[in-house]
Amino acid sequence: MSEASLYQAFSTVLKRDLTLAYRTRTEMVNPMLFFIIVISLFPLAVSPDPKVLQSLAPGVIWVAALLATLLSLDSMFRSDFDDGALEQMLLSVHPVSVLVLGKVLAHWLVTGIPLLLLAPLLAVLLHMPSDSIPALMTTLALGGPILSLVGAIGVALTVGLRRGGVLLSLLILPLYIPVLIFAANAVSNAAAGLAIAGQLYFLGALLALALTLAPIATAAALRISLR
Amino acid sequence: MTEFFHMGGYAFFVWTSYGLATIILIANVILPIQRKKEILNTLKRRLRREQS
Amino acid sequence: MWLFFHKLGSPKYFYDLSGKFLPWFGGLTLILMLLGSYWGLVVAPADYQQGDSYRIIYIHVPAAWMSLFVYIVMASAGAIGLIWKMKMADVVASCSAPLGAAFTFLALVTGSLWGKPMWGTYWVWDARLTSELILLFLYLGFMGLEAAIDDKRTAANACAVLALVGVVNIPIIHYSVEWWNTLHQGSTVARVDKPAMDVNMLIPLLIMWFAFMFYYGTTLFMRARNEVLYRERDTAWVKEMVTE
């Protein structure tokens, strides 16, 4: 039996997680529904006035995306933890961080991309000017993976706990603040017709940082949680 | 003396700050002392149970 | 030096040594606290712009400094515990968290009490206040995670990872909040330009800072000793000490 290469291991994990997600697709839809419902509550709670909604929109959409991601995070390692697949993963010859990266990518493809695709629709619901919609999608494309990457650390730390859900949000939400600040600001700037390159560069830098460090931290956290 | 306590009209803010600081700082000293008593009592009781 | 480090890792040695230092630390804390408060409240002149309200600085600034310092200590201790599996480092990290949270809370409340007379409101989304609030969340998350995991060693290691992630994030959070703040506020908060501080104002600040440092040392020792006693409850030396 030949050793699987690093890339093969990565893509196997990715494919496996995508297949699993496809089999439980009704469950996967829930965060998206949550995203839509939360956003549709704002006009009801605050005001249906287009001007008010317009000024709130970038923040509201981003906060809702953050919470929707948070809800979906729990499933990242939960079922693997329950059926013991996670332990097998830690025993593999390949670096755990690479396997983790595969799982995070799968998570982003399954939740981040749908959020990204839903965003323009919700932007229209909140009367966002059409110029800012590309900016919104770009920030979600850059920021979404960061949310999945950083979230993975939190999930890995709380995976063995019976009631990790609330604790997870307490651990992760403060770490999401820089992403939230820069992304929401970029979108409001775009709506006002200002330059947003600086914010996007910063999000890109954060993504690079998260991409390099988060899988390592997640792997370490998984080892600790499963001991 | 009253002038000192008056703090140039900022008495409420200054004395609340200092008062709160005192409470928090003292509480953080008392808590470990009580905890120590608690631990020692538990250990003593356990030891007595083991010996008898 | 290395030997000392190793010895310090042994719980009994730590317990004995810290027991000797504790009264000195405690005494020094008390003296410095009283001296600093007296100097700050009585001797130091009133500020020409802020009047007497600036005297909150003697609580607020040391507390804010300590809130960061304790986090750094906590994360370093966590890293040492994670890498070298040193039990005492775990104890230091876990005992630091509630103290750091207390300092952070104190800095926040005194900051808002200072803000009311200066800015006219208890809370502004000022960059420093906001990052301090986030720091409090980080501390509470750390304590929450520690409380949620039953096994002490797993808890310590998981918390160490969290603290290290936090250390990477704190500068990012701080600068993003600062940047966000300059965009949103700027004109609404009247920033008081600080001229060079009077020596009589500066000295009590330094004294209070030392006082807070020693206070942290004292309370950390007290908590760590309890933790050691509890963790080592089955060893001969603890049993011997209890029966005395």
Side-chain angles (χ1 to χ4, degrees), chain A residues 150 153 157-158 161-163 167 170-171 174-178 181-182 185 189 199 202 206 209 213 217-218 220-221 224-227, chain C residues 82 134 137-138 140-142 144-145 148-150 153-154 157-159 161-162 165-166 168-169 172-173 175-177 179-180 183-184:
Chain A
V150 175
I153 306 175
L157 285 173
T158 53
L161 306 175
R162 261 160 288 132
R163 276 188 296 276
L167 185 61
L170 185 60
L171 299 185
L175 304 178
Y176 279 173
I177 287 168
I181 288 176
F182 281 93
N185 188 265
N189 271 11
Q199 285 88 321
F202 196 88
L206 281 181
L209 187 72
L213 293 183
T218 311
I224 292 165
S225 290
L226 285 176
R227 195 166 43 208
Chain C
L82 201 58
I134 297 167
F137 293 156
L138 289 178
L140 295 179
F142 185 99
L145 184 62
I149 304 177
D150 293 329
R153 245 191 76 214
T154 313
N157 289 345
C159 286
V161 171
L162 185 68
V165 172
V168 175
N169 261 278
I172 300 175
I173 292 174
Y175 285 109
S176 51
V177 167
W179 177 86
W180 159 80
L183 272 183
H184 283 246

Side-chain angles (χ1 to χ4, degrees), chain B residues 3-38:
Chain B
E3 204 177 301
F4 171 67
F5 284 112
H6 192 238
M7 274 292 153
Y10 295 115
F12 171 72
F13 304 107
V14 173
W15 294 119
T16 316
S17 296
Y18 276 80
L20 195 78
T22 317
I23 292 171
I24 289 180
L25 294 184
I26 290 180
N28 265 314
V29 172
I30 292 177
L31 283 175
I33 292 177
Q34 275 181 340
R35 172 101 178 102
K36 182 166 183 178
K37 274 187 199 148
E38 208 180 287

Side-chain angles (χ1 to χ4, degrees), chain C residues 115-136:
Chain C
K116 179 68 182 167
M118 289 302 107
W119 297 328
T121 120
Y122 280 110
W123 185 264
V124 285
W125 288 95
D126 167 73
R128 289 189 192 174
L129 279 178
T130 312
S131 5
E132 199 69 18
L133 182 66
I134 297 167
L135 187 63
L136 183 63

Side-chain angles (χ1 to χ4, degrees), chain C residues 194-212:
Chain C
K194 278 192 191 133
M197 259 180 130
D198 191 301
V199 183
N200 259 328
M201 292 181 178
L202 196 62
I203 291 175
L205 188 59
L206 290 177
I207 296 177
M208 283 306 260
W209 179 49
F210 276 114
F212 270 68

Side-chain angles (χ1 to χ4, degrees), chain B residues 7 18 25 28 32 46-47, chain C residues 52 55 215 223 226 234 243:
Chain B
M7 274 292 153
Y18 276 80
L25 294 184
N28 265 314
R46 221 176 56 146
L47 215 61
Chain C
D52 282 317
R55 293 185 200 279
Y215 174 80
R223 276 173 192 267
N226 286 346
D234 291 325
T243 45

